[in-house]
């Protein structure tokens, strides 16, 4: 079970997070805060895995608060203002909950956090997530954390990897999409799937990933933003 805190200047909003956290059974909500300076002091003395953090607060924005943390846990931003979504995304937020959010939407965000924490867990006994594809007459194991992007080339997919040669496998893009965890990979174009945590920035309908500039297809733009806004399920 992961440990979390929640920060929001609205007590009612904190009650909702408390209720949903208890309902999920997957998270221990250690404390809640309406004052950011109290939360900052707590985090200087205690470690947590995850913060539920309101963006629009009177003394300091949630985004500025998170930037000031010396040790940054995973964060799920909560706010009533959708215009903050991209800025929160650029801070590698796990997710972005637009108030008022439902329990199912809360649970979806929590599952993303659990998956990311598992991927980065220091316990070497835990097997890192991977997929297996057939290429060059061999079965090749590809760790998900190494994937930069997946590109469709007619009947093939080209899997671009960090510090490794790309792997060319004969399969349609949809097939490999079904093999990937929906919480961590998103299709941004009819020709591209990307891991969310590798995206450096989004600008002018373009996704930037370590030397790659990828267009966002108009029919996939909504799906990309669903990682940060409370939309209908995909």
């Amino acid at each position: 079970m992961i440990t979390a805190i929640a920060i929001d200047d609205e007590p009612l909003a904190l009650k909702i997070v408390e209720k949903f956290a208890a309902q999920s059974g997957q998270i221990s909500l250690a404390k809640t805060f309406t004052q950011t300076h109290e939360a900052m002091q707590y985090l200087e003395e205690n470690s947590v895995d995850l913060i539920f953090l309101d963006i629009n607060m009177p003394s300091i924005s949630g985004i500025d608060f998170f930037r000031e943390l010396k040790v940054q846990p995973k964060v799920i931003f909560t706010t009533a203002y959708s215009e903050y979504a991209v800025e929160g995304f650029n801070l590698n937020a796990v997710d972005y909950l637009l108030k008022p959010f439902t329990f199912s939407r809360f649970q979806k965000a929590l599952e993303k956090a659990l998956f990311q924490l598992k991927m980065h867990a220091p316990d070497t006994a835990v097997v890192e997530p991977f997929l297996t594809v057939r290429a060059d007459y061999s079965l090749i194991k590809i760790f998900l954390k190494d994937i930069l992007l997946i590109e469709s080339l007619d009947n093939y997919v080209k899997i671009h990897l960090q510090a490794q040669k790309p792997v060319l496998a004969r399969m349609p893009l949809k097939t490999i999409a079904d093999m990937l965890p929906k919480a961590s990979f998103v299709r941004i174009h009819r020709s591209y799937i990307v891991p969310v945590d590798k995206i450096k920035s989004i600008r002018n309908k373009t996704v930037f990933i370590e030397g790659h500039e990828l267009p966002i297809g108009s029919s996939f733009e909504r799906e990309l933003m669903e990682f940060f806004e409370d939309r209908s399920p995909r």
Side-chain angles (χ1 to χ4, degrees):
M1 185 174 291
I2 65 175
T3 303
I5 63 170
I7 308 169
D8 199 307
D9 62 316
E10 300 176 2
L12 180 58
L14 291 175
K15 290 292 184 184
I16 293 171
V17 173
E18 284 181 331
K19 176 184 175 183
F20 287 171
Q23 190 174 343
S24 74
Q26 297 174 289
I27 181 172
S28 173
L29 194 63
K31 282 186 80 68
T32 61
F33 300 90
T34 57
Q35 301 293 326
T36 51
H37 69 276
E38 293 178 356
M40 183 70 75
Q41 183 178 352
Y42 179 86
L43 290 170
E44 288 174 356
E45 301 170 356
N46 302 272
S47 62
V48 300
D49 302 307
L50 176 66
I51 303 176
F52 292 93
L53 181 57
D54 183 32
I55 290 181
N56 192 33
M57 291 187 290
S59 57
I60 181 174
S61 77
I63 289 172
D64 289 337
F65 173 88
F66 188 71
R67 286 195 179 111
E68 289 183 10
L69 293 179
K70 295 176 183 177
V71 178
Q72 294 181 331
K74 297 298 181 185
V75 62
I76 296 174
F77 285 113
T78 64
T79 186
Y81 302 94
S82 60
E83 60 266 27
Y84 293 113
V86 171
E87 191 170 1
F89 172 79
N90 288 337
L91 288 175
N92 291 323
V94 171
D95 208 339
Y96 178 96
L97 294 175
L98 188 64
K99 300 177 183 177
F101 48 86
T102 62
F103 174 70
S104 63
R105 185 64 182 87
F106 175 92
Q107 186 67 16
K108 181 189 290 186
L110 183 56
E111 286 171 359
K112 292 180 186 179
L114 290 166
F115 180 82
Q116 291 188 22
L117 286 165
K118 182 179 178 181
M119 282 190 67
H120 296 94
D123 184 2
T124 55
V126 176
V127 178
E128 293 180 345
F130 66 91
L131 57 84
T132 303
V133 299
R134 186 174 295 278
D136 295 328
Y137 305 101
S138 304
L139 285 175
I140 299 177
K141 177 191 279 188
I142 298 174
F143 289 102
L144 301 190
K145 65 180 179 60
D146 293 333
I147 298 175
L148 284 176
L149 66 102
I150 301 172
E151 179 182 6
S152 174
L153 300 173
D154 294 327
N155 296 323
Y156 290 82
V157 291
K158 187 175 185 180
I159 306 169
H160 298 257
L161 303 169
Q162 284 185 310
Q164 301 175 51
K165 290 175 59 177
V167 173
L168 191 65
R170 186 179 177 84
M171 67 173 70
L173 194 65
K174 185 180 185 307
T175 298
I176 198 167
D178 292 339
M179 299 165 63
L180 297 166
K182 300 297 187 291
S184 299
F185 287 81
V186 61
R187 191 166 181 175
I188 63 167
H189 188 274
R190 65 181 182 178
S191 298
Y192 298 107
I193 295 173
V194 300
V196 176
D197 64 353
K198 295 293 195 305
I199 296 176
K200 298 299 182 184
S201 63
I202 300 173
R203 187 172 65 251
N204 296 330
K205 293 193 175 183
T206 302
V207 167
F208 294 82
I209 296 181
E210 295 191 21
H212 299 273
E213 299 181 13
L214 309 174
I216 301 173
S218 57
S219 59
F220 296 94
E221 186 174 6
R222 180 186 180 93
E223 182 179 1
L224 177 60
M225 295 312 297
E226 278 183 353
F227 278 85
F228 312 97
E229 296 182 31
D230 188 12
R231 303 290 189 183
S232 58
R234 290 188 294 277

